[in-house]
Amino acid sequence: MSTTENKSVEITKGINGLEKVILREIHGSSVEVYLYGAHVTSWKNDQGEELLFVSSKAIFKPPKPIRGGIPICFPQFSNLGPLEAHGFSRNRVWTIDLDPPAFPPNVNVTNRVYVDLLLKPTEEDLKIWPHSFEYRLRVTLGPAGDLMLTSRIRNTDGKPFTFTFAYHTYFSVSDISEVRVEGLETLDYLDNLKNRERYTEQGDAITFESEIDKIYLSTPTKIAILDHEKKRTFVVRKDGLPDAVVWNPWDKKAKAMADFGDDEYKHMLCVEAAAIEKPITLKPGEEWKGRQELSAVPSSYCSGQLDPNKVLQSS
Ligand code: BG6
């Protein structure tokens, strides 16, 4: 945890008395993360505007995962294995890690406010997934209001294990029909709505007019989500996470979800930095690192004309 002058980390009670940590940055941006799931539920810019979508019907009560924000899918993405959908890390209570192992010296922590969270399997967890691990998550709020999530997963077992992973980020958007995603055009994807058959994305940026549930493969390290109405662009930068899931349930599936409002699909889009197609294998003692960095900038900042190349080339 970093708490020095001009920075702040507060541990407090959230909805239903669940513990949460609030990170505040001097210019006004903030992040909230629940220990339940190590689940980021809020990310606000320096104007106090919420950048993540959380359903008004989200149930903040174990064992139901929180609908919205940034659930972590580990050790299994979706139903790609024997565990419950998206694995169990999103409905376990994590602890605050006061003494995490050092990051490499090149990781700059100056002017950043962060918290380290830790998950280790219980005896019960080992019955459903018989692999010992230590999962450390650092949630960092940067000086420009950027939100960084760094996962370090170590095999503390005597045998190798394999997992899939996603940061299941729900972005808040003004109107899904005004949104486009750049950086995934012409890539191959597995279509979750068609038995995960493989297709190639055609044409231009991705726009939305019906349900979508695709796993884009071997994607670039930078993806942009342009919200024309809000004149806001989210930039996702990722490392160690080759794939990217794009999900919007649209109207029918929205109605079928108890913890999601019927019309809320219009105001969210999940773009999930992930490692799915090629599962990660860790030998005993090995560590894997997967990082996602989110920034939100006025669209005009990237390019006057929302030029896809300019958006993705700007740093
Ligand atoms: C997405 C999956 O990542 O998560 C979808 O691709 C799934 O298939 C969605 O419906 C939501 O999952 P859940 O378990 O949070 O309802």
Side-chain angles (χ1 to χ4, degrees):
M1 242 187 312
S2 79
T3 39
T4 55
E5 213 188 333
N6 297 336
K7 303 176 196 170
S8 112
V9 179
E10 182 190 350
I11 303 168
T12 179
K13 296 260 187 243
I15 297 169
N16 291 335
L18 295 175
E19 265 192 306
K20 70 176 179 183
V21 180
I22 307 177
L23 307 179
R24 290 193 187 84
E25 204 277 327
I26 181 178
H27 301 103
S29 53
S30 64
V31 166
E32 294 190 9
V33 52
Y34 275 72
L35 298 194
Y36 177 54
H39 197 130
V40 174
T41 54
S42 172
W43 170 39
K44 289 184 180 158
N45 64 14
D46 55 6
Q47 305 298 306
E49 294 168 321
E50 183 56 67
L51 303 170
L52 296 177
F53 165 87
V54 175
S55 173
S56 61
K57 296 197 166 176
I59 298 161
F60 285 71
K61 204 170 177 192
K64 184 84 186 156
I66 300 164
R67 176 70 63 197
I70 314 182
I72 289 174
C73 307
F74 171 82
Q76 174 187 302
F77 176 75
S78 186
N79 59 356
L80 288 168
L83 302 176
E84 61 195 287
H86 292 328
F88 54 79
S89 70
R90 64 176 178 164
N91 57 14
R92 295 294 185 271
V93 179
W94 295 50
T95 54
I96 294 176
D97 190 5
L98 293 170
D99 190 20
F103 273 79
N106 58 348
V107 176
N108 179 9
V109 290
T110 354
N111 294 326
R112 283 158 195 241
V113 56
Y114 60 88
V115 65
D116 288 290
L117 302 178
L118 174 64
L119 182 71
K120 292 184 195 180
T122 62
E123 287 298 315
E124 289 306 302
D125 295 337
L126 289 169
K127 285 183 195 157
I128 57 164
W129 202 64
H131 307 289
S132 270
F133 63 87
E134 285 177 4
Y135 182 160
R136 291 192 159 78
L137 176 76
R138 175 168 288 186
V139 180
T140 307
L141 185 58
D146 299 352
L147 167 59
M148 282 148 284
L149 298 179
T150 307
S151 290
R152 295 188 287 173
I153 297 172
R154 179 175 292 281
N155 182 340
T156 51
D157 210 3
K159 54 187 188 310
F161 64 69
T162 296
F163 64 89
T164 47
F165 180 93
Y167 291 118
H168 195 307
T169 308
Y170 288 72
F171 291 96
S172 169
V173 298
S174 52
D175 176 354
I176 186 68
S177 57
E178 296 290 320
V179 170
R180 66 187 219 195
V181 174
E182 295 175 354
L184 303 176
E185 46 288 343
T186 73
L187 297 180
D188 279 6
Y189 64 88
L190 307 179
D191 196 336
N192 282 327
L193 301 177
K194 293 182 183 154
N195 297 319
R196 300 210 172 95
E197 274 173 45
R198 194 177 181 117
Y199 297 89
T200 303
E201 193 62 67
Q202 304 297 327
D204 237 352
I206 294 151
T207 53
F208 304 92
E209 48 195 27
S210 59
E211 183 184 2
I212 182 168
D213 191 353
K214 296 179 179 177
I215 305 169
Y216 289 89
L217 306 172
S218 305
T219 66
T221 56
K222 213 165 160 188
I223 298 168
I225 301 150
L226 286 76
D227 185 340
H228 289 220
E229 202 171 296
K230 267 259 178 236
K231 295 191 171 51
R232 174 187 289 148
T233 297
F234 292 107
V235 181
V236 180
R237 293 178 181 83
K238 57 196 183 65
D239 192 24
L241 297 162
D243 305 322
V245 182
V246 177
W247 179 63
N248 184 295
W250 223 256
D251 54 348
K252 274 204 202 100
K253 286 234 170 106
K255 289 200 177 90
M257 287 191 281
D259 59 348
F260 192 90
D262 289 358
D263 285 330
E264 286 183 331
Y265 73 93
K266 293 176 184 164
H267 306 298
M268 53 72 67
L269 178 67
C270 287
V271 175
E272 311 167 28
I276 299 169
E277 190 199 22
K278 296 180 186 121
I280 312 291
T281 297
L282 287 180
K283 293 191 191 119
E286 272 185 350
E287 184 177 87
W288 170 84
K289 202 149 120 205
R291 209 172 112 82
Q292 161 175 284
E293 186 171 333
L294 307 178
S295 50
V297 290
S299 295
S300 54
Y301 169 83
C302 291
S303 70
Q305 299 304 312
L306 301 176
D307 178 327
N309 294 323
K310 285 189 188 158
V311 169
L312 292 173
Q313 277 158 22
S314 67
S315 58

